Amino acid sequence: MRVKGRTRIQKKISSRSIYNVFITIFKIILFSICLFLAYEGCKFSYYSSSNYQEPIFEQEDSVWIHLSIFLLVCIIVGITLFLLNSLKERFLSKYFIMEKGVLITACAWLMILGLMYIVEHPYYPTGDQINTTAGAAYARAGNYVMFSRGGYIGLYEQQKGLLFLYEILFSIFGDFCYGVAACFHVIFSVITLVAGYSLLKILADNSLYCILYCIMMMSCMPYMIYLPYIYGDLPSICFAMVLFWAMAAYGKRLQRRYVVIGGAMAALALLVRMNSWIVLIAVGIGMVLLALEKKTFRPLLACMCIILAAWGTVKAVEKMYEYRSGYESGVGLPSILWMAMGLQETDGRPGVYNRYQQNVFEECGFEREPAIQVGREYIAMRLDEFKENPEYAYDFFLKKVKMQWLEPLFEGLYETNSFPEMEEIPEWAFSLYYGNLHDAIWKASNYYQSIVYLAMLSFVVGSILHKGGYLANSAGWIPLIAVVGGFLFCIVWESKSRYILPYYMYMLPFASMGIGKTAEGICGFCNRFFGKGIGKSV
């Protein structure tokens, strides 16, 4: 009996030790990333010119102004909290009403402002958006020429999931119903808000954090600017946020219904954007941590079900189009060519799109094996160059990361600067894209971005110093694991600031906690000198 007892104790100690080691390593990595973003975000930013001909370029910021704005926000929140807590006998029962009132206001704000914005916005899709929607319209009519080897869908097979969803949308509302798609983006913005709010309620049931999150969502200009953008970015953010909530709820209750919801959201997220695999890998890591925490294999089974549901859905769509079109799947652009392009420097800009992968694939006769070999050889050559010149390698990757993470609007104005010909642009839109409003929105978003990065750093530092951490269960780390994965992935992939927007949105619930924790510290300081409040929000 003693031997068995010791064995059980050793197993418990072993699983807990593994858990603690991983969490410690992860927090160190996350701290390093957040410190880098906070420091560089306060010191530099990347500006997108209003003429849209010049590439984005780095400009120096005032560190003290960015730090002062962040501290001012925290002080205002802290003093407000102190005043409310000093009247706690009168207002304590109204915290819940206040929190729900802010949530309803935020939902109404996003819905009304979003609808007004997309109705008045003259944006018309181009590039990948017009090709994907055209592929959906042609497929509905039985024309599958874009699926052929060398055709757009034949090259970019990852678009088949989004094309499938557009087919469904077009079958209901008619082909090229871009206004309807934009309306769905507005609905997705509200769902994203509610999902993030619900995630916070599980991870740290605190009215202050939830209120701050609602305010941050209401004032997130990059997200709002992308509302008319007819592509998979905003839907993938929405589905991922609901997935994060479902996983946090599962971590709390271990109920199967959250696995079903998670599987559905994972499948939708993967259909609209294949980079959602980063989120699914984060789910897998989070469920391993949860299994170690709960000492049960159930989270591992849940993870397998979710990933299989997502992978199976994507494969089913591929097989369906293979059957309908007569063109086989698995013949598109090899991913290694994108990685090779990500290591190139074009006009002094690291990793930007330059058609390298299409050119190589065409030269190889659209045959994958020869193209893969070309990509491998090029990557090996570039790695040798980086090894021989470490200073150049450091400058290359530093600039690449900064270009992606330090553009405050994540190139939202650049990406949506596409309007129908022979149509007059409204005065407000002209000012937003070409006039004074352009720089005003950019500057406001620049300070907002620094607040997010500094608040994230505050959250991570607090979670390291606070015994047991801030989060209710291990599944709460999944969004931040996805942020780390996205940060590492974007180092080797194509350099595009738009790809960072999802990870930025995943940060917002935790950034609100960072501001809240800092404000609580300020409130506690006020209590020592001015009164006897509770020093902590409800």
Side-chain angles (χ1 to χ4, degrees):
M1 291 298 291
R2 285 184 181 178
V3 174
K4 289 183 179 180
R6 287 176 183 173
T7 303
R8 290 172 183 170
I9 292 172
Q10 289 171 353
K11 287 181 179 179
K12 290 180 180 180
I13 293 175
S14 176
S15 63
R16 192 65 192 178
S17 299
I18 295 172
Y19 175 86
N20 289 334
V21 168
F22 181 89
I23 287 293
T24 301
I25 294 173
F26 173 72
K27 286 181 179 179
I28 292 172
I29 296 173
L30 184 61
F31 169 77
S32 302
I33 292 173
C34 291
L35 180 62
F36 169 81
L37 292 177
Y39 173 77
E40 296 291 346
C42 290
K43 193 174 180 181
F44 302 102
S45 60
Y46 272 78
Y47 176 76
S48 292
S49 173
S50 59
N51 63 20
Y52 302 98
Q53 302 300 317
E54 302 173 7
I56 63 173
F57 59 89
E58 182 180 283
Q59 68 176 33
E60 193 168 349
D61 281 344
S62 171
V63 176
W64 292 110
I65 291 178
H66 284 268
L67 287 174
S68 298
I69 291 175
F70 172 71
L71 290 175
L72 179 61
V73 169
C74 294
I75 289 171
I76 291 173
V77 175
I79 292 175
T80 303
L81 181 61
F82 169 75
L83 294 175
L84 289 175
N85 287 341
S86 65
L87 299 171
K88 61 180 180 179
E89 296 298 331
R90 184 178 300 177
F91 289 99
L92 189 60
S93 61
K94 298 183 180 179
Y95 267 109
F96 179 78
I97 298 175
M98 186 189 307
E99 174 191 332
K100 295 301 180 184
V102 173
L103 174 63
I104 294 171
T105 301
C107 290
W109 170 271
L110 291 180
M111 181 65 73
I112 295 171
L113 187 64
L115 288 174
M116 291 174 59
Y117 183 67
I118 64 170
V119 167
E120 296 295 328
H121 199 288
Y123 173 73
Y124 190 82
T126 58
D128 288 327
Q129 307 132 69
I130 196 70
N131 282 319
T132 305
T133 53
Y138 294 165
R140 286 189 66 225
N143 182 349
Y144 297 99
V145 64
M146 296 180 76
F147 288 75
S148 63
R149 189 183 292 266
Y152 176 79
I153 304 300
L155 291 174
Y156 302 96
E157 292 188 307
Q158 70 273 16
Q159 304 285 38
K160 287 181 179 178
L162 183 59
L163 185 147
F164 171 68
L165 295 178
Y166 278 139
E167 263 206 86
I168 297 174
L169 187 70
F170 290 175
S171 66
I172 300 173
F173 297 100
D175 289 344
F176 305 108
C177 52
Y178 297 131
V180 175
C183 287
F184 273 99
H185 290 174
V186 175
I187 296 171
F188 290 150
S189 72
V190 176
I191 296 174
T192 300
L193 167 65
V194 174
Y197 168 87
S198 301
L199 174 67
L200 267 178
K201 291 294 290 183
I202 294 172
L203 300 183
D205 190 3
N206 185 302
S207 295
L208 174 65
Y209 307 157
C210 294
I211 290 172
L212 289 172
Y213 173 71
C214 292
I215 294 173
M216 294 184 78
M217 278 293 295
M218 291 170 65
S219 53
C220 187
M221 291 305 302
Y223 187 92
M224 295 295 294
I225 287 173
Y226 271 108
L227 284 176
Y229 194 70
I230 309 302
Y231 209 41
D233 300 73
L234 298 194
S236 72
I237 292 171
C238 174
F239 301 140
M241 288 297 289
V242 178
L243 173 60
F244 295 149
W245 162 77
M247 293 299 91
Y250 178 79
K252 183 178 181 180
R253 303 180 181 92
L254 295 181
Q255 294 177 338
R256 282 174 289 185
R257 63 171 175 264
Y258 298 113
V259 179
V260 175
I261 296 172
M265 292 301 105
L268 288 170
L270 201 58
L271 283 175
V272 297
R273 292 293 286 166
M274 288 301 289
N275 62 5
S276 296
W277 270 116
I278 296 173
V279 171
L280 295 186
I281 292 171
V283 169
I285 295 173
M287 289 296 100
V288 170
L289 291 176
L290 188 65
L292 292 171
E293 179 189 357
K294 301 289 187 179
K295 298 178 178 63
T296 173
F297 286 102
R298 290 172 63 184
L300 301 181
L301 296 175
C303 172
M304 289 177 58
C305 292
I306 290 170
I307 293 178
L308 284 175
W311 177 82
T313 301
V314 170
K315 288 301 177 183
V317 169
E318 287 182 359
K319 288 297 180 182
M320 180 266 293
Y321 278 122
E322 191 175 293
Y323 174 78
R324 286 172 56 185
S325 67
Y327 295 105
E328 62 178 323
S329 298
V331 296
L333 277 165
S335 298
I336 195 169
L337 294 180
W338 291 93
M339 297 174 65
M341 186 185 70
L343 297 178
Q344 295 177 3
E345 190 166 350
T346 305
D347 298 328
R349 296 180 296 157
V352 297
Y353 179 79
N354 58 11
R355 281 191 58 85
Y356 167 80
Q357 67 276 39
Q358 291 99 317
N359 293 336
V360 169
F361 204 39
E362 290 174 11
E363 291 170 3
C364 294
F366 302 113
E367 295 293 333
R368 285 177 58 86
E369 289 305 319
I372 290 173
Q373 185 60 32
V374 171
R376 286 174 179 166
E377 292 175 357
Y378 183 84
I379 290 174
M381 180 193 71
R382 285 295 282 170
L383 292 178
D384 287 339
E385 291 178 0
F386 291 145
K387 186 177 180 180
E388 293 173 2
N389 193 343
E391 291 184 3
Y392 168 69
Y394 175 80
D395 291 337
F396 178 90
F397 289 108
L398 177 63
K399 185 176 181 181
K400 184 176 182 181
V401 171
K402 289 165 66 176
M403 280 177 57
Q404 296 177 89
W405 288 85
L406 301 187
E407 210 285 48
L409 294 173
F410 299 98
E411 295 186 282
L413 292 178
Y414 175 83
E415 294 286 354
T416 57
N417 176 43
S418 172
F419 311 116
E421 296 182 2
M422 308 300 293
E423 186 172 314
E424 187 176 354
I425 301 174
E427 184 177 344
W428 68 268
F430 187 88
S431 179
L432 176 63
Y433 284 89
Y434 311 109
N436 295 331
L437 191 56
H438 173 280
D439 281 7
I441 292 295
W442 183 89
K443 288 178 182 177
S445 298
N446 191 23
Y447 293 126
Y448 178 95
Q449 185 185 71
S450 296
I451 291 172
V452 172
Y453 290 159
L454 288 167
M456 275 298 303
L457 180 62
S458 175
F459 166 81
V460 176
V461 170
S463 67
I464 292 173
L465 298 178
H466 186 272
K467 187 177 180 180
Y470 289 151
L471 306 183
N473 61 68
S474 300
W477 290 108
I478 291 175
L480 296 181
I481 296 173
V483 170
V484 172
F487 185 90
L488 299 176
F489 177 76
C490 291
I491 291 176
V492 299
W493 203 251
E494 176 191 358
S495 179
K496 189 181 285 290
S497 189
R498 174 170 59 86
Y499 296 160
I500 306 302
L501 182 62
Y503 312 113
Y504 189 67
M505 300 303 297
Y506 303 160
M507 288 181 175
L508 292 191
F510 304 92
S512 67
M513 290 179 65
I515 295 173
K517 292 292 183 181
T518 305
E520 286 174 352
I522 294 171
C523 179
F525 176 82
C526 293
N527 286 332
R528 294 193 195 98
F529 289 90
F530 302 108
K532 295 183 179 180
I534 61 174
K536 195 172 184 180
S537 57
V538 176

